[in-house]
């Protein structure tokens, strides 16, 4: 049955609770609520944006692999990080320095990169709340969505998305 199949395939360390769209003013209360009850608490910022161009060419003029069309159909959840997040496996390129402050860089899901036919050094343009942001692909990551951890197809270098309104994804583990 489906319950047995899920129990056999979900990693034992998978989060037991997922919170989506937690607001910044809720985080302190949330932390107080789960303190001592939950472990493996992970909180990641999220901003919504749409991919509009690849290497300067409008997205609607580019042939995208069927399996990657989801990424350009509507707005995506994007995140940002100065430090390489725990459990992230860079497969090509390298993560930016913590103090990096240049042109916006992105880390892209390796499968999405293949489907969009882009790679390291290519340019990807986003519309985030009406603001156009051109970023260079700095690295590719192997993303295992079956881990049930917080995974974003696109992660920006630190400082790029700080000014935008954001919400947070939260995962945590409760043993009982």
């Amino acid at each position: 049955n489906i319950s047995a199949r899920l129990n056999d395939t979900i990693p034992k360390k998978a989060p037991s609770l997922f919170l989506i769209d937690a607001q910044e003013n809720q985080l302190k209360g949330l932390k107080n609520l789960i303190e001592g009850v939950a472990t493996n608490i992970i909180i990641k910022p999220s901003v919504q944006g749409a991919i509009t161009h690849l290497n300067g060419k409008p997205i609607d003029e580019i042939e995208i692999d069927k399996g990657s069309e989801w990424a350009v159909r509507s707005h995506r959840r994007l995140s940002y990080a100065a430090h390489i997040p725990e459990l992230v496996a860079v497969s090509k390129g390298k993560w930016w320095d913590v103090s990096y402050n240049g042109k916006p860089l992105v880390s892209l899901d390796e499968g999405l990169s293949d489907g969009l036919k882009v790679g390291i050094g290519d340019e990807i343009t986003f519309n985030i709340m009406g603001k156009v942001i051109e970023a260079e692909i700095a690295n590719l990551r192997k993303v295992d969505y079956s881990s049930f951890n917080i995974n974003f197809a696109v992660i920006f270098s630190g400082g790029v998305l700080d000014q935008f309104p954001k919400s947070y994804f939260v995962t945590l583990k409760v043993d009982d």
Side-chain angles (χ1 to χ4, degrees), residues 47-50 78 126-133 156 161 164:
V47 173
Q48 290 197 31
L78 314 167
F126 295 84
N127 180 325
I128 301 174
M129 301 187 81
K131 183 173 180 181
V132 174
I133 297 181
F156 276 83
L161 303 180
F164 292 101

Side-chain angles (χ1 to χ4, degrees), residues 51 54 59 62-74 76 108-118 124 145 153-154:
I51 298 171
L54 296 174
I59 203 71
I62 298 172
E63 187 176 327
I64 307 284
D65 287 352
K66 201 123 183 96
S68 296
E69 288 177 345
W70 60 269
V72 298
R73 235 182 265 135
S74 62
R76 296 271 55 86
L108 202 60
D109 174 321
E110 186 176 62
L112 180 57
S113 168
D114 290 344
L116 296 177
K117 299 173 182 82
V118 293
I124 185 167
Y145 293 100
V154 178

Side-chain angles (χ1 to χ4, degrees), residues 82-102:
H83 296 276
I84 187 167
E86 189 176 336
L87 305 175
V88 164
V90 173
S91 56
K92 293 180 184 162
K94 61 182 248 187
W95 199 263
W96 41 81
D97 289 334
V98 175
S99 60
Y100 178 78
N101 192 22

Side-chain angles (χ1 to χ4, degrees), residues 132-159:
V132 174
I133 297 181
E134 295 174 351
E136 180 181 324
I137 300 171
N139 64 66
L140 305 178
R141 295 171 284 116
K142 285 189 183 286
V143 179
D144 179 10
Y145 293 100
S146 69
S147 71
F148 290 90
N149 290 310
I150 300 173
N151 289 301
F152 291 92
V154 178
I155 300 175
F156 276 83
S157 53

Side-chain angles (χ1 to χ4, degrees), residues 1 19 27 34 55 68 90 130 136 139 143 172:
N1 68 28
L19 304 171
L27 292 179
I34 61 179
N55 292 316
S68 296
V90 173
E136 180 181 324
N139 64 66
V143 179
L172 53 100

